[in-house]
Amino acid sequence: MTYDLLQGLRVVELTMFSTDTVGGHLADLGADVIKIEEPPYGSPTRHSGTLHFRWNRGKKSVMLSLKEDDGAARIGELVREADVFIYGLRAGSAKRFGVDYDAIRAVKSDIVYCAVSGFGQEGLYRDLASHGWAFDALAGLAVPEIDEVGLPRTPDSHTLVGIEASGLFGAMAVLAAVRKAERTKESQYLDIAGVDCALSFRATDFDMRANDMGNTAMSGYVRYQYYPTKDDEYVMFMALEDKFWNNFCKATDRLDLYEPGLTIDTPEASAEQKAAVRRALADVFLTHTRSEWTELFISHNVAGAPAYGGLDVLDDPHIAARGLTYDQEQPDGRIMHLFGTPVKVGSEEFSPGCPPGPGQHTDEILQGADK
């Protein structure tokens, strides 16, 4: 089972694709999340690789069409018993379907209404059709690569930020709004946009540049940099503070680098000086494997970390011990190896239920709503 932190919190969600993530985080923490799906095939997330297995695990599924005359009324019946309503379809369509904020709070006066979309409920791009890449492209997080014929393309190594961030910010906002709704007995309205959330991950750099206080670029640093190791892997060396630099030089018996390296990451250091120290450090790091360097960092109090580029990170002894993945047997007998939640709750083990089958709980929940 999932954690029970949100036991008793009922959520009705009308979402698809990345907007499923808000309710997904709430379900992981123990909320009772009822997912409304369009018959006959259900949410398109079901047909998008493994997304369904993480974003919709532990939820309940109700097949219900807003295109039917009584569709909005049936959703209203579910909302009466809920604390939260999450709307994650195209901005503006909620009113057309009769499930906009005014309609929903007319049914439940203290409901938390969370509208999740790509570009928000207001603004020039509100009605712009999009997918998850759009959030990061607009935010400047997914800078295109140029292919062999000179055309831009999506970067292979990019991890989509806006999709994951909107789920996190949405879930956080919902929980805060639930507290206020409980306190005031009044409904709360939330507007979460994927592009806003993607941009927020650049906030530190924006703030620094806008106030002429530097930037977050680290590519020119020597003591805060990637280095290759003996086993053709990498470590992230982070001895930016002098105490860590001193510890490193002592541990590697390279005190000859200490003085030259003290000012190597300041504006006063020349390109020639930077190149000389960087080359010397590169040679030092080639003498040991990634795991050996990690052990040295720990034993000699040097800031740094092993660096990974693929799924082998899950085999790292620290990551493996954190229990971030789990195996789950699906109703069809398949064993899925899935990523869990980074939230740790005491000694509890995160063991969520399978994602629901299409309309698996329709009769159970709608019959209950009719009573």
Side-chain angles (χ1 to χ4, degrees):
M1 62 180 293
T2 53
Y3 297 138
D4 63 357
L5 296 175
L6 296 180
Q7 185 175 10
L9 184 75
R10 172 162 283 200
V11 179
V12 175
E13 70 166 25
L14 183 60
T15 63
M16 64 170 61
F17 288 129
S18 63
T19 55
D20 293 353
T21 57
V22 179
H25 287 299
L26 299 175
D28 282 352
L29 298 177
D32 179 19
V33 180
I34 299 172
K35 182 171 189 59
I36 308 299
E37 302 191 60
E38 178 75 18
Y41 302 111
S43 170
T45 309
R46 291 185 174 277
H47 316 292
S48 303
T50 61
L51 299 181
H52 173 60
F53 295 92
R54 181 161 59 90
W55 292 354
N56 292 324
R57 62 189 173 203
K59 296 180 182 178
K60 296 177 181 177
S61 171
V62 169
M63 283 291 190
L64 181 59
S65 178
L66 281 173
K67 298 173 184 176
E68 300 295 332
D69 292 339
D70 64 345
R74 300 308 300 271
I75 288 180
E77 293 170 4
L78 297 178
V79 168
R80 285 193 184 91
E81 304 300 321
D83 304 288
V84 179
F85 180 74
I86 303 174
Y87 183 80
L89 307 184
R90 288 283 294 271
S93 59
K95 189 172 184 63
R96 185 170 73 252
F97 288 129
V99 291
D100 56 298
Y101 177 50
D102 288 337
I104 294 298
R105 68 174 173 171
V107 174
K108 183 75 181 297
S109 62
D110 61 349
I111 196 74
V112 170
Y113 188 108
C114 181
V116 192
S117 62
F119 297 104
Q121 303 302 307
E122 304 293 341
L124 181 64
Y125 298 157
R126 190 196 77 157
D127 298 321
L128 180 61
S130 67
H131 290 297
W133 270 100
F135 315 151
D136 291 14
L138 194 157
L141 290 170
V143 179
E145 297 176 346
I146 304 302
D147 66 17
E148 60 277 2
V149 296
L151 292 175
R153 67 180 180 192
T154 53
D156 292 336
S157 61
H158 180 68
T159 297
L160 293 174
V161 174
I163 287 177
E164 304 292 351
S166 58
L168 292 172
F169 281 108
M172 177 179 69
V174 163
L175 296 179
V178 166
R179 288 297 303 272
K180 185 173 182 180
E182 291 173 344
R183 187 173 71 250
T184 64
K185 308 302 180 186
E186 296 177 351
S187 61
Q188 306 297 317
Y189 179 79
L190 303 169
D191 178 3
I192 306 296
V195 70
D196 296 354
C197 297
L199 280 164
S200 74
F201 272 58
R202 296 189 64 193
T204 298
D205 195 44
F206 284 154
D207 291 346
M208 294 177 73
R209 291 176 185 271
N211 294 283
D212 197 24
M213 298 178 70
N215 56 63
T216 58
M218 304 295 291
S219 60
Y221 279 67
V222 175
R223 284 165 47 186
Y224 200 106
Q225 195 55 264
Y226 286 102
Y227 285 96
T229 58
K230 183 179 181 180
D231 53 346
D232 294 325
E233 302 293 351
Y234 298 94
V235 292
M236 184 66 187
F237 184 50
M238 307 171 75
L240 199 59
E241 295 87 350
D242 289 345
K243 68 174 183 179
F244 293 138
W245 177 238
N246 185 43
N247 290 346
F248 174 80
C249 292
K250 287 181 178 178
T252 56
D253 197 24
R254 289 301 305 266
L255 285 173
D256 60 302
L257 294 176
Y258 180 69
E259 289 293 339
L262 279 177
T263 57
I264 202 64
D265 289 322
T266 65
E268 291 74 27
S270 68
E272 292 76 14
Q273 290 171 321
K274 283 180 173 289
V277 176
R278 182 144 166 74
R279 183 68 261 167
L281 284 175
D283 290 340
V284 170
F285 278 104
L286 286 173
T287 62
H288 295 293
T289 65
R290 179 173 60 190
S291 62
E292 288 171 343
W293 280 117
T294 304
E295 292 171 5
L296 183 144
F297 292 162
I298 295 170
S299 61
H300 290 83
N301 190 27
V302 177
Y308 293 89
L311 290 180
D312 55 334
V313 65
L314 299 177
D315 297 323
D316 179 280
H318 174 81
I319 299 303
R322 294 291 293 168
L324 295 172
T325 62
Y326 64 99
D327 292 328
Q328 184 180 69
E329 183 176 0
Q330 304 304 313
D332 61 5
R334 283 183 299 168
I335 302 296
M336 301 287 291
H337 188 57
L338 301 165
F339 196 87
T341 173
V343 177
K344 300 297 179 184
V345 181
S347 59
E348 294 183 41
E349 181 181 353
F350 181 71
S351 181
C354 293
Q360 180 179 338
H361 306 90
T362 301
D363 293 340
E364 168 195 336
I365 291 175
L366 290 185
Q367 288 174 6
D370 290 336
K371 295 179 181 179

